[in-house]
Amino acid sequence: MKKIILALSVCGLFFVQSCQNDDGLGEDPNAKVVLDTNASNLNKRINLSGSGVLDLVTSGALTGKLTETAAGNFPMSLLAEVTSPVYQGKVLKATHVDVKDHYVYVSYNTPGETYLGGIDVIDISSPNNPKLVVQAILPNVDISTVLYDGGKLYIAGAIDVDFNSPAETPAFVAQMPLQSGLLTTDYLLNPLASYVTTGVAVAESSYYAVSGNNGVLAKFNKATNVLETSIAIQDLRAMGKIDNKIVVLSGTQGVKVYNEGSLSLVSSIATSKDVADAKRTIDFQGANLLVAEGYQGLKMYNLSGGNLLQTIAVPTASVDLDPNDVVTNAVSVNGDYVYVANGAAGIYVYKTINGQLQLQGSVALSGSSNYVKSVGDYIFVASGNGGLKIIKKVTVPTIDCSNFPTYTGNQNLNVNSNEDLKYQGSASLKTVNVNANLTFCGSLSISQGININSNGVFVMKGSMAQGQYNSNSSNFNVNGTLKIEGSVVIYGNLVLNNGAKLEFVGADSEITIYGKVTKNNGVTITGTYKDTFGNLK
């Protein structure tokens, strides 16, 4: 049977086999799932080369650099990239992300005619040092969606029915019981009509799935895994649950809202018709529904009345991008903030102000931003063959400095001799040069270098991220005194020159240094602190 889109499906109980070859992966042709838990193998896929402070583009073309002189107020950094799994010479493609506590679940499929999928579990309990703890390869199966609920991982996609004779149709949804959050050795699978299952949602006693062309909205009993209701709907792309409603998106029939229990139709919302077989997502913000509508951009509707409230067109591509690759693939809501995956144009960040989404800026990322999920302080981006990007906001701490003014100055913060400057809030800067006294209380990112000169004292209260991974052009040079109360991440190199002082305040301060540390004569380091990589020794 010809493969149509994202893929994954099967009927029956699968057992996981763990075998090893030179890559830590099994070669058994009969294996349904191949697990790899070898830490040295897995963490070769954690790539830090692009790590560092991210500049949020606030105007102009998609250049990846700030084009205004004013400081930004959305500090964030790229923690790591997880490269795609490679199995028997084939590179898998990241499709979806879900997060539970300190585990991130990432799904993969393979473009073209080959059915080959995978699941990664990434541990982010140490935020500045993510670890890939288990990888599962599923031969003859593509995975389009993963969702955690109640100690189980729900997976959906398509399977090669020519290889798996019990499966009558490619589309399926499956339950995998987890052990302490990690993958286990069986799936309980249910087939669905169509070529691929594109979305999953869970409720208290039921779970739901939607499948694509000539597909269905299906309701299953969570306890028994038995199909209870199935409704035929064309070209289903995504689904979600809010309150007691199940909301689905069709590429041809728009949005349909159903009662959770009976699956009786409540209302419909007309949306633009989408390109065939393209994956899209929806999300909710209060009473509003946000829909990624491909080349029509992002649209916000009132869920109860169906009114179109706002349209955000796809970005205008810069000269080095193919306009066909700039498309709104996915949307994720996190409080007042909305993150939009716009393909080759990267991630766009909006904030809801007075009921309208207002652009805060964009982040250019390598690869195509196909899916985005924001949870807590994190933004996870699935970028196809580029794997997964892990981005973290530099968050405002609990330290109270409310008597300090908010910094609203230039991207290049310069403290002249005899100045005593104190600021609070969130700021995104390019450089800092301290010749006297500077105190910053809040969250701060500096994309390039920091210089604390011989008479300078820089007091950082809160969270700070600085530099680019192992980059000499973004060195943190200390000739004077650096005092840290909170968390500091240095992606470049830290140079402690003659007589430099590094002081940690309080009992919970932490420093993470990705680059090299140079300590010259007369350097003193005092206080209680956690050194993530042990580089200050």
Side-chain angles (χ1 to χ4, degrees):
M1 179 176 289
K2 184 178 179 181
K3 178 178 175 183
I4 300 297
I5 183 179
L6 312 167
L8 197 155
S9 141
V10 155
C11 180
L13 186 64
F14 275 5
F15 293 94
V16 178
Q17 302 182 18
S18 181
C19 319
Q20 300 291 326
N21 64 9
D22 291 342
D23 297 323
L25 298 179
E27 293 289 357
D28 182 353
N30 297 314
K32 303 301 184 183
V33 176
V34 183
L35 286 182
D36 187 0
T37 58
N38 186 303
S40 61
N41 284 330
L42 294 176
N43 286 297
K44 291 176 183 177
R45 292 178 46 211
I46 301 291
N47 179 14
L48 302 178
S49 63
S51 299
V53 171
L54 292 171
D55 283 334
L56 196 68
V57 179
T58 55
S59 67
L62 303 174
T63 61
K65 299 293 182 183
L66 287 169
T67 57
E68 296 179 344
T69 58
N73 60 3
F74 198 84
M76 57 183 171
S77 57
L78 177 64
L79 296 184
E81 298 174 89
V82 184
T83 61
S84 291
V86 179
Y87 184 72
Q88 296 183 344
K90 296 181 175 63
V91 180
L92 279 65
K93 176 181 178 180
T95 57
H96 198 264
V97 180
D98 199 26
V99 183
K100 174 61 178 176
D101 297 330
H102 61 278
Y103 284 134
V104 182
Y105 303 90
V106 188
S107 63
Y108 297 87
N109 70 8
T110 302
E113 295 298 316
T114 300
Y115 288 83
L116 178 63
I119 303 171
D120 282 340
V121 182
I122 301 165
D123 185 351
I124 56 170
S125 57
S126 178
N128 296 310
N129 190 22
K131 298 292 186 183
L132 178 55
V133 293
V134 62
Q135 166 191 289
I137 296 293
L138 285 73
N140 309 299
V141 173
D142 279 346
I143 305 179
S144 58
T145 301
V146 287
L147 178 65
Y148 177 96
D149 180 75
K152 296 178 181 178
L153 192 67
Y154 292 81
I155 61 177
I159 192 167
D160 186 349
V161 296
D162 294 332
F163 183 85
N164 296 275
S165 56
E168 298 179 356
T169 60
F172 81 91
V173 62
Q175 287 180 325
M176 173 189 282
L178 301 177
Q179 184 173 8
S180 300
L182 299 179
L183 308 178
T184 56
T185 57
D186 64 70
Y187 289 59
L188 192 59
L189 301 134
N190 274 307
L192 294 175
S194 189
Y195 294 100
V196 62
T197 300
T198 56
V200 181
V202 293
E204 184 175 349
S205 60
S206 304
Y207 74 93
Y208 304 81
V210 291
S211 54
N213 190 32
N214 296 318
V216 296
L217 163 61
K219 175 185 177 183
F220 295 89
N221 184 291
K222 285 173 69 174
T224 64
N225 206 38
V226 171
L227 176 66
E228 295 182 337
T229 308
S230 180
I231 301 172
I233 306 173
Q234 282 290 323
D235 196 21
L236 287 165
R237 308 296 182 85
M239 71 178 310
K241 177 184 176 298
I242 181 170
D243 299 328
N244 61 345
K245 301 292 189 296
I246 300 296
V247 182
V248 302
L249 172 66
S250 164
T252 57
Q253 299 179 23
V255 171
K256 294 181 181 293
V257 182
Y258 295 86
N259 280 316
E260 177 188 315
S262 63
L263 283 188
S264 57
L265 183 64
V266 176
S267 61
S268 299
I269 301 172
T271 63
S272 57
K273 291 188 176 181
D274 201 1
V275 177
D277 298 335
K279 183 173 180 177
R280 302 289 180 244
T281 74
I282 62 175
D283 208 346
F284 308 98
Q285 189 177 56
N288 297 333
L289 171 69
L290 282 75
V291 182
E293 297 194 25
Y295 291 108
Q296 302 303 312
L298 177 72
K299 295 188 180 181
M300 181 168 63
Y301 302 88
N302 177 269
L303 187 58
S304 60
N307 301 325
L308 176 62
L309 303 177
Q310 188 175 1
T311 298
I312 298 174
V314 293
T316 301
S318 59
V319 293
D320 59 334
L321 295 180
D322 183 344
N324 292 322
D325 295 334
V326 179
V327 55
T328 300
N329 292 314
V331 58
S332 180
V333 175
N334 189 345
D336 291 335
Y337 287 92
V338 174
Y339 303 89
V340 182
N342 282 317
I347 298 297
Y348 275 59
V349 182
Y350 297 85
K351 185 176 183 181
T352 302
I353 301 174
N354 297 325
Q356 291 286 292
L357 299 179
Q358 295 189 14
L359 179 64
Q360 304 298 295
S362 64
V363 180
L365 300 170
S366 60
S368 177
S369 297
N370 298 329
Y371 180 81
V372 60
K373 174 84 169 184
S374 180
V375 177
D377 296 332
Y378 291 90
I379 303 128
F380 303 95
V381 182
S383 57
N385 292 344
L388 178 75
K389 321 286 187 187
I390 304 176
I391 299 170
K392 189 175 186 297
K393 294 168 62 179
V394 183
T395 53
V396 178
T398 57
I399 299 171
D400 182 17
C401 298
S402 55
N403 58 324
F404 295 169
T406 300
Y407 182 76
T408 58
N410 194 280
Q411 290 179 15
N412 301 302
L413 172 55
N414 185 62
V415 182
N416 297 313
S417 299
N418 301 317
E419 284 189 313
D420 184 8
L421 304 180
K422 296 179 174 68
Y423 300 108
Q424 66 155 324
S426 299
S428 181
L429 309 176
K430 283 187 175 180
T431 64
V432 171
N433 186 49
V434 181
N435 291 291
N437 297 302
L438 171 64
T439 299
F440 197 98
C441 181
S443 56
L444 181 64
S445 69
I446 302 102
S447 62
Q448 298 177 21
I450 297 179
N451 289 304
I452 305 175
N453 297 311
S454 57
N455 293 318
V457 178
F458 179 14
V459 180
M460 181 65 215
K461 295 175 176 286
S463 300
M464 180 174 71
Q466 181 269 333
Q468 306 298 323
Y469 179 71
N470 228 4
S471 170
N472 290 326
S473 63
S474 60
N475 280 351
F476 195 141
N477 294 292
V478 181
N479 291 282
T481 300
L482 172 62
K483 295 184 179 182
I484 298 170
E485 183 180 358
S487 171
V488 168
V489 180
I490 301 171
Y491 289 98
N493 303 317
L494 175 62
V495 180
L496 299 171
N497 291 305
N498 293 344
K501 295 180 180 180
L502 179 55
E503 301 178 12
F504 293 90
V505 180
D508 299 315
S509 293
E510 179 178 358
I511 189 165
T512 303
I513 307 166
Y514 286 80
K516 300 176 182 178
V517 176
T518 300
K519 290 190 288 185
N520 292 315
N521 296 330
V523 170
T524 60
I525 302 175
T526 59
T528 301
Y529 62 96
K530 176 184 177 182
D531 182 4
T532 303
F533 296 134
N535 289 339
L536 282 180
K537 294 178 181 178

